[in-house]
Amino acid sequence: MKKLLSLVLAAAMMLSLAPAAFAEEAEVKTLTGKEYGVDYTSLYSQFGKDITIADVIEDEETGFAYIEKDGVEYELGLDFLSMAMVYNAVPAGDYETADDAYAAWWRLYMQRWNALLPEIPLYSNEYYDLYNAQIKGVDEHPTNPYWSPSAALIDWTSEKEDNSIIIGNVTDLSGKFRYANFGGSNPGAADLDVQNMTRGLDTVASTKEGGYVWNDTVVKSHEEVMNEDGSKTFTITLYDDLKFSDGTPVTAKDYLVQPMALSTPVGAAAAGKDHMLLKSYVGFDTFNTYDGTEGSGTKEMAGLRLIDDHTFSVTVSADYEPYFYDITYAGFYADYAPAWMGEAELKDDGNGCYFTDEFYAKDAEGKFVTAATITATSLNTDTSMPYSGAYVVSSFDTADKSAVLEINPNFKGNYEGVKPSIAKVVYKKIISSTQLQDLTSGNLDCVAGITGGDETNEALALADGSDGKYVYTHYSRAGYGKLGFRADYGPARYSEVREAVAYCMDRAKFAKDFTGGYGGVVDGPYYSGSWMYKAAVDQGMLLNAYATSVDSAIEVLTKGGWVYDKDGNDYAEGVRYKKIPAAEATENDINYRSKDGAYVTTKVGDDYYIPLVLNWYGTTDNPFTDQLMTGFANNDNLIAAGFNIQYTIGDFNPMLDELYQAAVYGYYSGSPMYSVFNFATGFTSAAYDYAYNWTIDPGMYDDYSICYLKDEADIYWLK
């Protein structure tokens, strides 16, 4: 039975609508050989802007959502729901506030995510941060899920002789401190920490509580205007006393150049991908294609206006309004303009900001000259270019992956007006297994994110027995450790395979064993302390806990067609195979093989049979990986269900390259191999926004997709 959404569950059930009310089911086809915009588009692009939460019908048994258009029933996929969550959160029907509508869309998104399972949460833990007691202010200004040590230390002091603090991360510093996302979709946690310490003067700031506020230290005044065409303009006036670390005055241009540069073909050539940072603003589509030649697009970026040295405006396209978090549209930060535009200048003659022709100049080989400048800037790790944040990078050691940061003497302060007092920050690569020894030997002042039973017990025992030499703070994690999938490659692209893996793993036991009782497990991508989770629970959220059952795993695999052996005969034992008709088989399907080459896709007649083999890339010096060796790689339930799991254990950045299937960090093998990875996901921002992360548009897919899943329910067939 399907029901119209309502804030009150009982009232919703009274408005139940039977499937017979629809004329027909939408046809399901394959995307193989089809062209986006010609053969198909996204369901949200077709209908999304006209839909309110009151139009949605929910199946009360599955939790899936539907809409009806012209007598046809359409199931809503992850792309539609993630877009509607932030762009359609308007009061409608029984949903009297934007928060009510947002929570309902959030719940429907969560229910579908839980069913398709693009990743498997394995533990959501308690965190303990352990400190050298010479670092003061930790009690008054503690860390929390939204406020890491790299952010919190601006409020701390150090009683160490050299007025320093040594912090670190288990992930490597790559040197992408200027823009940690450069060339990729998911920045390394260590690079992001250094970026956030060295980048500042934001117009809109993230708060300790995970919210967004206008930064009154930077913004003298601001104005918001809704335009007649549905677009929205933010006008921002900066204080005139802002300076970079080298004393250079900060002007309005320094807020606009970097996002403009990374929204051009020049920036795309430099990064190896189009970051499209200005996608939400008026004029992006034609500015994004302009390459310096006539007819290629529009030179001016109409939605960005340079009004004077300390005032600029941005106009958000009507396509992206209303937006639940629209204050973030006005969120720009100061970044030294020449670093991103080389010999060019940024001007505005009245039709929008533009780069002078030097920006688009090409060399004798036809390559953009400024692209090399942008690439060099993204990898700059010294003070030859100034910084705008609380600290500057004074040195970076590529050998041991450590950086030394010193106070920016010209930093005006954070959103609370606070300036740093700790003179030197040493940021280093740490190893989980030796981090406490680093602390006690004086080579580390903060061990952040301690988790796992043994590790937590050891850390607490150290602090409790130290006679006050070490102290700790404690908070629940907003996120989880997971098995993540490259969900468009190999068997992992089928939801029944991901479901079967979850059924074969005892997730509750895994979480208990790993956290030592200091945590548990969640059933979706949420933080149980968030307001939207609590609201969704009140609305009756339906989530499958995937209770351990080999029988359930076999049932979903059988239903999904994993019922053959390699020769196309009925499955009897060993590794299962799935038949893929030749017309639907991709090159990756045809060439799929296990890591050791023992299992390959076979061709029988005109059909291909792909083996139920998952190649896993685990990361080194990681207790999570260690536990997965028994919990996943050598799991008897998976073997009994017909799986074969093979693996490689290596460093974090090479793992990311294999996930991206691109040499973002220079390690990609050149051909796809792995579809399962272990790492973590955090929900540490107030903006729970996954719009575009589930896109089916090939033009956006590589840049935005987080799990590489295309939900077939998001397809609207044009012909």
Side-chain angles (χ1 to χ4, degrees):
M1 181 181 294
K2 295 166 184 170
K3 57 183 175 60
L4 289 169
L5 286 177
S6 171
L7 187 60
V8 181
L9 185 60
M13 294 178 66
M14 293 172 62
L15 295 172
S16 61
L17 183 65
F22 301 110
E24 57 179 303
E25 294 285 337
E27 185 180 0
V28 176
K29 304 177 183 177
T30 177
L31 293 181
T32 304
K34 301 299 191 298
E35 182 178 352
Y36 187 83
V38 176
D39 299 295
Y40 70 101
T41 188
S42 74
L43 188 66
Y44 188 85
S45 295
Q46 188 69 22
F47 299 127
K49 293 295 286 185
D50 299 325
I51 299 298
T52 71
I53 193 65
D55 298 319
V56 178
I57 300 156
E58 181 183 1
D59 188 308
E60 61 186 20
E61 294 181 0
T62 66
F64 286 171
Y66 301 82
I67 59 172
E68 183 269 333
K69 282 287 186 179
D70 301 322
V72 180
E73 174 185 303
Y74 296 95
E75 189 173 6
L76 304 185
L78 287 175
D79 177 58
F80 192 108
L81 294 170
S82 62
M83 293 287 289
M85 186 195 310
V86 291
Y87 293 114
N88 299 57
V90 294
D94 292 327
Y95 298 89
E96 298 178 354
T97 69
D99 283 1
D100 294 339
Y102 176 92
W105 285 116
W106 188 93
R107 176 172 60 82
L108 295 172
Y109 167 83
M110 202 60 55
Q111 290 170 176
R112 185 160 189 88
W113 188 102
N114 171 261
L116 298 187
L117 212 63
E119 55 193 33
I120 301 175
L122 290 175
Y123 66 89
S124 185
N125 44 328
E126 300 293 304
Y127 271 154
Y128 288 81
D129 291 352
L130 187 63
Y131 300 91
N132 174 356
Q134 290 180 293
I135 305 302
K136 302 299 183 180
V138 172
D139 289 340
E140 297 85 356
H141 304 282
T143 50
N144 66 50
Y146 303 109
W147 205 241
S148 69
S150 63
L153 64 82
I154 196 171
D155 286 303
W156 301 343
T157 60
S158 172
E159 293 185 347
K160 295 172 63 179
E161 186 175 347
D162 63 350
N163 189 17
S164 72
I165 184 172
I166 307 172
I167 63 175
N169 198 286
V170 295
T171 61
D172 290 343
L173 288 172
S174 74
K176 291 185 183 179
F177 304 153
R178 301 287 179 169
Y179 183 58
N181 271 34
F182 191 81
S185 300
N186 298 299
D191 288 337
L192 193 59
D193 274 350
V194 175
Q195 171 192 286
N196 291 340
M197 285 189 283
T198 58
R199 192 178 82 180
L201 304 181
D202 304 55
T203 54
V204 174
S206 301
T207 69
K208 299 172 182 177
E209 297 77 25
Y212 293 106
V213 296
W214 286 99
N215 187 349
D216 293 335
T217 304
V218 171
V219 177
K220 184 178 182 180
S221 64
H222 58 87
E223 183 181 70
E224 304 173 26
V225 176
M226 288 299 302
N227 302 310
E228 290 184 3
D229 63 358
S231 64
K232 185 173 184 177
T233 299
F234 295 85
T235 302
I236 300 165
T237 299
L238 309 167
Y239 283 105
D240 61 6
D241 60 350
L242 306 177
K243 295 180 180 179
F244 285 107
S245 57
D246 65 353
T248 302
V250 172
T251 71
K253 290 182 180 180
D254 297 303
Y255 286 82
L256 303 179
V257 166
Q258 190 250 29
M260 284 184 62
L262 293 182
S263 296
T264 65
V266 180
K273 66 175 291 180
D274 189 349
H275 281 289
M276 298 188 286
L277 297 187
L278 297 176
K279 182 174 179 59
S280 303
Y281 302 87
V282 169
F284 168 80
D285 289 342
T286 53
F287 174 75
N288 179 245
T289 61
Y290 182 73
D291 63 5
T293 61
E294 186 175 353
S296 61
T298 304
K299 187 175 185 177
E300 292 88 1
M301 177 61 198
L304 268 59
R305 298 299 314 278
L306 189 62
I307 298 172
D308 59 39
D309 283 349
H310 298 101
T311 307
F312 67 94
S313 70
V314 297
T315 300
V316 182
S317 169
D319 292 339
Y320 300 95
E321 283 285 359
Y323 178 53
F324 192 70
Y325 300 106
D326 75 349
I327 188 176
T328 61
Y329 287 138
F332 288 73
Y333 58 86
D335 206 334
Y336 186 57
W340 297 97
M341 62 179 177
E343 300 299 319
E345 294 182 57
L346 182 71
K347 294 187 175 182
D348 185 343
D349 297 334
N351 297 315
C353 291
Y354 67 91
F355 292 117
T356 55
D357 292 343
E358 294 89 344
F359 183 80
Y360 299 97
K362 296 181 180 180
D363 60 19
E365 297 179 351
K367 296 180 180 179
F368 292 114
V369 175
T370 309
T373 299
I374 293 172
T375 299
T377 294
S378 73
L379 298 174
N380 176 263
T381 59
D382 58 35
T383 56
S384 60
M385 300 176 186
Y387 295 91
S388 61
Y391 288 89
V392 301
V393 177
S394 61
S395 65
F396 173 53
D397 190 324
T398 57
D400 67 5
K401 307 296 184 185
S402 67
V404 177
L405 293 81
E406 297 178 351
I407 285 179
N408 172 4
N410 292 307
F411 182 62
K412 188 179 179 182
N414 69 1
Y415 74 100
E416 295 179 317
V418 176
K419 300 179 181 181
S421 65
I422 297 177
K424 181 171 70 173
V425 178
V426 178
Y427 199 104
K428 59 184 286 187
K429 168 71 179 287
I430 59 177
I431 307 299
S432 297
S433 60
T434 60
Q435 58 188 0
L436 292 186
Q437 291 93 311
D438 273 351
L439 181 71
T440 56
S441 65
N443 293 321
L444 198 61
D445 293 315
C446 170
V447 180
I450 297 170
T451 190
D454 293 341
E455 292 80 3
T456 302
N457 289 331
E458 184 181 4
L460 297 184
L462 173 63
D464 293 340
S466 70
D467 194 26
K469 188 175 181 180
Y470 305 107
V471 297
Y472 61 84
T473 59
H474 163 250
Y475 51 91
S476 296
R477 180 179 187 174
Y480 50 73
K482 67 183 181 183
L483 275 183
F485 297 97
R486 175 85 197 199
D488 64 352
Y489 177 61
R493 72 185 179 100
Y494 298 99
S495 61
E496 69 269 8
V497 171
R498 304 187 297 269
E499 292 177 71
V501 172
Y503 279 125
C504 287
M505 299 183 73
D506 190 337
R507 296 191 306 128
K509 183 179 186 301
F510 190 103
K512 182 179 180 181
D513 290 347
F514 185 75
T515 67
Y518 297 102
V521 67
V522 295
D523 299 318
Y526 55 78
Y527 170 42
S528 59
S530 66
W531 72 268
M532 66 281 284
Y533 174 81
K534 296 172 184 176
V537 169
D538 288 343
Q539 292 181 12
M541 182 163 60
L542 300 172
L543 299 179
N544 184 354
Y546 291 96
T548 308
S549 169
V550 177
D551 289 341
S552 294
I554 292 173
E555 181 180 350
V556 296
L557 289 171
T558 300
K559 185 177 179 181
W562 297 88
V563 293
Y564 300 98
D565 65 15
K566 66 182 180 64
D567 298 316
N569 300 315
D570 291 344
Y571 173 78
E573 60 181 358
V575 173
R576 293 176 179 271
Y577 286 71
K578 178 185 178 76
K579 180 171 68 174
I580 304 176
E584 299 177 12
T586 66
E587 182 178 352
N588 281 341
D589 292 330
I590 295 169
N591 295 324
Y592 188 76
R593 64 183 180 88
S594 62
K595 178 178 175 291
D596 65 2
Y599 301 94
V600 300
T601 296
T602 60
K603 186 176 184 182
V604 180
D606 292 330
D607 299 318
Y608 292 91
Y609 293 80
I610 189 170
L612 190 55
V613 176
L614 297 177
N615 296 319
W616 163 48
Y617 195 115
T619 52
T620 56
D621 296 312
N622 187 339
F624 183 24
T625 300
D626 296 341
Q627 188 163 325
L628 283 167
M629 293 301 295
T630 53
F632 175 60
N634 298 298
N635 183 310
D636 289 339
N637 289 341
L638 286 166
I639 296 171
F643 282 89
N644 181 273
I645 309 297
Q646 301 195 8
Y647 60 87
T648 288
I649 307 299
D651 291 333
F652 188 79
N653 284 343
M655 181 273 286
L656 287 180
D657 270 13
E658 295 296 334
L659 171 63
Y660 299 148
Q661 294 183 1
V664 174
Y665 295 98
Y667 296 100
Y668 182 50
S669 62
S671 58
M673 172 63 68
Y674 303 94
S675 61
V676 187
F677 309 85
N678 61 285
F679 47 111
T681 288
F683 309 105
T684 56
S685 169
Y688 192 101
D689 177 1
Y690 284 85
Y692 302 103
N693 291 137
W694 305 99
T695 181
I696 64 169
D697 180 351
M700 300 170 60
Y701 182 73
D702 288 337
D703 296 322
Y704 282 83
S705 185
I706 53 174
C707 294
Y708 302 97
L709 183 151
K710 291 184 179 179
D711 189 341
E712 66 180 14
D714 284 311
I715 303 167
Y716 179 83
W717 292 102
L718 298 171
K719 62 180 183 179

